[in-house]
Amino acid sequence: MNAYEEYMRQMAQPMRDELTNAGFQELTTPEDVDQFMEKAEGPSLVVVNSVCGCAAGLARPSAIESLRNEKVPANTVTVFAGQDREATNRMREFFEGYEPSSPSMALVENGKVLHFIPRDDIEDHEPEEILANLTNAYNQHC
């Protein structure tokens, strides 16, 4: 790892910790993604994390807050775009029919997307809107 990559990893660590401290499992390699997708039972929330402001101010807080809903996904995982590129690219292969965007969130089960929230539905939206988007998906699929 070169000095720039190490610097970026250190800068992104608090952004990773925000989700992992809330119970999200971090998937950092394509093998982690494959293993998770093969073994996960029940609906899973996947957060494609990133360093952008809408991830910090909207996506991560909304994803964490959504887990206070009565119905929640059985699993919560995250991949970090721009940091763990191979893992992120592998996860995006499961998001068939959806353009790559970060941040984004997907509710998946059995390797298929049940609900997808692209960056366009995060950026310039109120946290309450994103929270409602997630909890409505949970109420329907969990």
Side-chain angles (χ1 to χ4, degrees):
M1 184 179 308
N2 68 35
Y4 172 77
E5 289 169 334
E6 180 57 29
Y7 172 77
M8 289 307 294
R9 184 160 294 283
Q10 289 173 13
M11 291 298 297
Q13 193 59 51
M15 300 168 207
R16 293 172 178 274
D17 294 346
E18 190 173 350
L19 290 175
T20 58
N21 289 343
F24 283 76
Q25 176 188 349
E26 197 170 41
L27 307 176
T28 59
T29 67
E31 294 78 20
D32 289 346
V33 171
D34 287 339
Q35 185 175 37
F36 175 79
M37 294 300 273
E38 286 171 21
K39 294 183 179 179
E41 293 185 19
S44 302
L45 175 63
V46 178
V47 174
V48 178
N49 200 355
S50 77
V51 298
C52 73
C54 64
L58 300 168
R60 289 191 301 269
S62 297
I64 293 165
E65 180 69 24
S66 75
L67 300 178
R68 295 190 176 136
N69 192 48
E70 188 175 314
K71 291 184 174 183
V72 294
N75 312 286
T76 55
V77 297
T78 180
V79 293
F80 206 114
Q83 293 284 304
D84 302 318
R85 287 183 181 90
E86 295 84 9
T88 303
N89 290 339
R90 180 65 185 125
M91 183 59 81
R92 285 177 171 156
E93 290 176 22
F94 289 97
F95 301 164
E96 195 172 316
Y98 297 96
E99 289 292 318
S101 65
S102 29
S104 61
M105 296 181 245
L107 192 61
V108 301
E109 187 171 22
N110 299 322
K112 303 278 186 232
V113 175
L114 303 172
H115 187 77
F116 190 78
I117 303 175
R119 180 186 178 116
D120 288 349
D121 290 342
I122 297 170
E123 191 174 38
D124 297 326
H125 288 264
E126 293 299 318
E128 296 79 11
E129 292 176 86
I130 302 162
L131 183 60
N133 192 339
L134 284 167
T135 57
N136 289 338
Y138 300 168
N139 292 338
Q140 183 179 350
H141 299 289
C142 297

